[in-house]
Amino acid sequence: MPAVPVLPRPRLFHALTDATERRVTVLNASAGAGKTMLLASWSAWSTGQRVAWVSCDRNDNEPKVFWACVVEALRRVCGRGSESLGQLAGHDDLADPQFAERLLDTLAPLDDPVVLVLDQAHEITDWRLLAGLEILLRHAPPTLRLVLSGRGFPALSLARLRVAGELADIGPAELACTPAETRDLFALFGLDLAPPQIAGLLERTGGWMAGLRLATLWWHAQPPQRRDPAGFTGDEPLVADYLSDEVVGSRSSQLRRFLLRTCVVDRVTGELADVLTGGSDGQKTLDVLERENALVVPVGRQRTWYHYSPLLREFLTDRIGREMPDEIAGLHRLAAGWLSRRGFLVDAARNAAAAGDWRLAGTLLAGDGDRAFANGEGAALEPLLAGIPADEIAANPELAAVCATARLNAGDPDGAEAFLSVSSGPVVSGPDGSGPDGSGPDGSGMADGRTTTHDPSSPTAPAEPADGLAREVKVTELRLHQGCLRGRVDATVMTRAHQLLDDMGGAGLRSHHRNGLAGLAYWLGIAELWNAHLSAARTSLARAVPLLAENGFGRWERRAHAWLALLDAVDGRLERAERAIRGERSEPPSDPVRLLYDMAQVVIDVERDRLDQAWNLLATIAVPPGEDAADAAGDAGSADPPLWELYGLLRARILIHQGDLGAARAEIATAKDDAVRLRTQVKRYATLLEIDIALQESNPVQGRAILSAATDPRRVGGSDSTPAAVRVADGRLHLAGGDPAAALDAVTPCLSGMSAETRLVDTVAALLVAATAQRRLGTQASATGYLEQALALGRDDGLVRVFLDAGRGVRALLTVVIPPEGPHASFRSALLHRFDVQPTATWKSPDQTVRLTASERAVLHYLPSHLTNEEIAQDLCLSVNTVKSHLRTLYRKLGVGSRREAIARALQLELLR
């Protein structure tokens, strides 16, 4: 036992006891993992266990010496039977290849189990010893248990035993100290550390026992003001000495060179190791280092990537800085080139920065930085960008654009302004047609294919036209993003963005600049959303989707798809929206993309008159104003329009359709008061809902006053810029006011495609206004034609709500001019049914739960039969007065005033089944 305090580890004591129930136990871990100390303390703790101990070293790697040690160790613990072991050692030739078999014959009579520990078993390499151990492994009696402890597996056939369940493994993960054990170890050595300090040292060492023991020595040696876990590094002398002696010093010069040249990267694969070392066996070398537990750890299940423990890497980094400092920058450039070609932008840029090659870093970031930020991976780049010298950014507009992207991604439009000013500067390119940083035409390194540093003093020449256009595309994209964060986008930026998208077809952009086109189309679509130009937003986002997919902008692509689904739903293209929802609505409820799909589903349910479903779903996604609202609206920094500001209006619309006009008014008032970033859009939509309420209350005068107060009367009906939804409201007000000719004039621009923002649902609504107006004007044929067009447009998407909103005059038209059989028969029947169950303005809100007596329910079920009160009374064996009394009670409980309304309300409440 060592002459230092020993940490009791009951967790591992029990694990070892359980493991030694099997034939073979293997403790395989690095130097300093605590294997020997664990076995020794376990042996002392496990008083009922007989443990024979052999410590192997290179001098024991000879059969006569090794077997003599084994026999002596067994003799000491075997008690009865030890005489035969002594005779075996005294009379047999220990070098005889058959000695292992005779040893087994001698051990066969043993009654009590014996554990034979071979410590430092990795030192056993002699083939004769290995052959003897194979015999021991295969044919040992049940009472002999073998424990092999070392820094790697000896060359024995262990796999068969593992498959047979006769071998137990205890490796680095099990031997690593837990937080509780780390705390107890420090306390054992007189250190009273705070939990954050313990966690810091545990993270630095990975629970490696020798590392923690060295940490206690280091901690005691530090003055109090320097006792920071971050200061405990692999280049500290006491740590470096240990690693040099136990981990690195015993390696061959070739392997040592391998470790030094590969330590410059955070993680390494065999292929990357070959690039850094100039060799061809990098994967094999990494596998060997892992098997030998040289503090080299595989990453992930594929075991193709490896990383060096923090202390080992710091030790190696210090050594390479001392022994080959001139090679470090070149190694980082080699790593940057390989990593960038494999798509590891962050790692590549870090290596370029570590090489001090800011031009190369700028090239890498300008080429692929947008993709990282767009996919939510930009946080790792921000510290790197913050470390780039200001003069380098000022000299590199493309790098400045990446810095602007970082600030915009962080929701800081004002902080991006200085970088945007730089990125708008002049474009330069090399005399050979390479990029301004010396990169090749494809932006993947030097023009001749090498990855190396660039001479900032090299001559320059005017930029190619495509470079200038690509730069403008990028700056315009960033301006759009900036405007979206501010909630207002400059009209000139919008105009230029449209022009650039239209002009890009023949511009001959390089492939690494096409991501700028993808970003431009995406942010133009978002900007159009802020301006409530839904048709233009749909066009831009639809154009962006294939470009985003082509360039790997997965996160933006998902967002664009979700916005398109919502825009399709709002437009009235419900089938297309529903297909998109079915294909993509798998994100967690809090995901902003899921919120967009849920909003689309709410709109679909409303347009199909599934009001209860819409209300229930909206209740699950509604976010009240507050600090969480921005997250629900979209990206951090609220670059997307905050949809939560519209939730109250959606609730109001549902309440209007359910006949609860008072609650709808309250929702509208609250929505207008709470609106901040979408105040203009909320007021515009609220105006339309208030007009709907006025129409429900048969008060077109009030509706006209609301419309006049919200819009310029000279523009409504006369300007092509008037939204189609406003024209439809205007037409409905004219119909309610008894002026069908004015109603027809109001919606005519919608029918001819001349009105702004004409959605499919607006076209159907305008056709229904026109049909109603023509019928009142006495032109039945025109009315029929308009109604048939509306049915044709609304049938496939199930646009029910727009027909119901058109009023009962449309119901009469459906009954009179559309035959019950024909191409619209099924849709006509569904619409008539929905008309029959709609609430009217005379309805009162019923109780939350309608409770009916058995007699009242019986009378209610007779109402759809159209039997008279006398006939109902006769069937139920009641008096007519009793039936009338039940009907009065039914009307009161249902909040209606007539038999027809009672049927409709009962159907709506599912009381008639």
Side-chain angles (χ1 to χ4, degrees), residues 194-209:
Q197 294 173 318
I198 293 174
L201 289 170
L202 188 60
E203 182 180 2
R204 301 283 304 130
T205 61
W208 180 43
M209 179 63 79

Side-chain angles (χ1 to χ4, degrees), residues 22 40 48 77 97 131 135 285 303 307 354 401 425 433 464 469 489 577 639 672 712 732 749 769 789 800 824 900:
R22 305 188 189 187
V77 300
I135 294 172
T285 303
R303 304 177 74 86
H307 72 83
E464 298 174 14
L469 188 57
V489 184
K672 289 196 293 186
D712 183 350
R732 288 175 177 169
V769 170
Q789 289 182 58
V800 172
H824 306 304
R900 184 188 63 79

Side-chain angles (χ1 to χ4, degrees), residues 404 407-409 411-421 475-490 493 523 527 530 637-639 677:
R407 297 317 312 146
L408 295 174
N409 186 70
D412 183 10
D414 296 332
E417 184 59 41
F419 297 115
L420 280 169
S421 298
V475 172
T476 305
E477 174 205 325
L478 294 174
R479 289 294 183 191
L480 289 171
H481 190 170
Q482 184 186 47
C484 289
L485 284 168
R486 290 171 170 167
R488 59 185 187 280
V489 184
D490 189 277
V493 175
W523 284 110
W530 276 101
S638 303
R677 307 188 75 197

Side-chain angles (χ1 to χ4, degrees), residues 537-835:
R538 186 188 307 106
T539 300
S540 293
L541 290 171
R543 186 169 185 175
V545 163
L547 290 168
L548 294 169
E550 172 190 337
N551 289 279
F553 290 78
R555 190 161 172 255
W556 284 359
E557 182 191 358
R558 287 174 58 236
R559 298 294 289 274
H561 275 298
W563 273 114
L564 285 171
L566 179 54
L567 289 170
D568 281 336
V570 171
D571 189 86
R573 303 178 192 280
L574 308 187
E575 279 296 311
R576 190 160 67 186
E578 210 159 41
R579 284 195 301 271
I581 293 171
R582 283 195 297 267
E584 298 292 339
R585 197 172 161 203
S586 57
E587 295 80 5
S590 59
D591 189 294
V593 170
R594 171 65 178 273
L595 294 178
L596 291 172
Y597 283 123
D598 283 346
M599 285 293 288
Q601 186 63 56
V602 169
V603 174
I604 290 171
D605 288 337
V606 170
E607 295 298 346
R608 288 181 172 164
D609 201 39
R610 300 192 294 239
L611 302 181
D612 289 340
Q613 290 177 232
W615 183 270
N616 293 335
L617 179 55
L618 188 59
T620 67
I621 63 175
V623 179
E627 63 179 280
D628 295 331
D631 292 336
D635 287 330
S638 303
D640 284 10
L643 291 180
W644 68 269
E645 294 191 12
L646 301 175
Y647 289 177
L649 298 182
L650 276 172
R651 286 193 293 269
R653 185 180 177 195
I654 295 170
L655 290 167
I656 292 171
H657 299 330
Q658 290 176 333
D660 194 347
L661 304 184
R665 281 196 178 92
E667 287 284 359
I668 293 170
T670 301
K672 289 196 293 186
D673 289 341
D674 291 343
V676 178
R677 307 188 75 197
L678 294 181
R679 184 175 295 274
T680 301
Q681 293 90 329
V682 167
K683 286 185 175 180
R684 185 183 308 162
Y685 189 21
T687 296
L688 296 176
L689 293 178
E690 289 167 342
I691 292 172
D692 281 347
I693 292 175
L695 290 171
Q696 289 273 355
E697 294 176 333
S698 302
N699 192 347
V701 175
Q702 182 185 11
R704 177 64 60 190
I706 293 170
L707 181 61
S708 298
T711 59
D712 183 350
R714 294 170 298 178
R715 296 182 58 189
V716 177
S719 171
D720 292 342
S721 63
T722 302
V726 175
R727 292 185 181 277
V728 170
D730 187 31
R732 288 175 177 169
L733 287 171
H734 283 304
L735 286 176
D739 191 349
L744 190 60
D745 289 340
V747 299
T748 296
C750 302
L751 305 178
S752 61
M754 298 299 293
S755 184
E757 293 298 323
T758 303
R759 303 170 297 163
L760 173 62
V761 70
D762 293 327
T763 301
V764 174
L767 286 167
L768 294 174
V769 170
T772 305
Q774 292 286 16
R775 182 167 185 258
R776 293 186 185 179
L777 292 170
T779 51
Q780 186 89 342
S782 296
T784 302
Y786 282 132
L787 183 57
E788 287 181 338
Q789 289 182 58
L791 289 167
L793 288 175
R795 179 184 59 212
D796 292 341
D797 288 295
L799 292 173
V800 172
R801 191 67 245 171
V802 65
F803 283 85
L804 303 178
D805 291 346
R808 304 199 65 80
V810 169
R811 185 193 186 285
L813 273 173
L814 287 169
T815 305
V816 173
V817 304
I818 303 298
E821 303 203 1
H824 306 304
S826 177
F827 193 35
R828 169 187 180 273
S829 176
L831 289 172
L832 290 174
H833 170 71
R834 296 312 302 170
F835 268 112

Side-chain angles (χ1 to χ4, degrees), residues 114-164:
V114 175
V115 177
L116 174 59
V117 174
L118 298 180
D119 194 23
Q120 301 291 90
H122 61 277
E123 297 284 6
I124 302 173
T125 57
D126 186 280
W127 68 269
R128 294 168 296 175
L129 289 181
L130 293 172
L133 284 175
E134 285 282 4
I135 294 172
L136 220 61
L137 291 175
R138 292 187 182 189
H139 305 295
T143 51
L144 179 63
R145 317 286 166 73
L146 193 62
V147 176
L148 302 174
S149 175
R151 303 178 191 178
F153 295 111
L156 298 170
S157 302
L158 300 177
R160 179 181 58 81
L161 293 172
R162 187 176 285 110
V163 171

Side-chain angles (χ1 to χ4, degrees), residues 216-252:
T216 65
L217 298 174
W218 174 84
W219 194 272
H220 281 301
Q222 302 303 308
Q225 66 272 19
R226 293 189 56 197
R227 289 174 178 173
D228 181 358
F232 178 66
T233 58
D235 56 358
E236 281 290 320
L238 62 89
V239 181
D241 289 345
Y242 184 91
L243 292 173
S244 179
D245 293 343
E246 298 294 331
V247 179
V248 178
S250 60
R251 308 288 171 183
S252 66

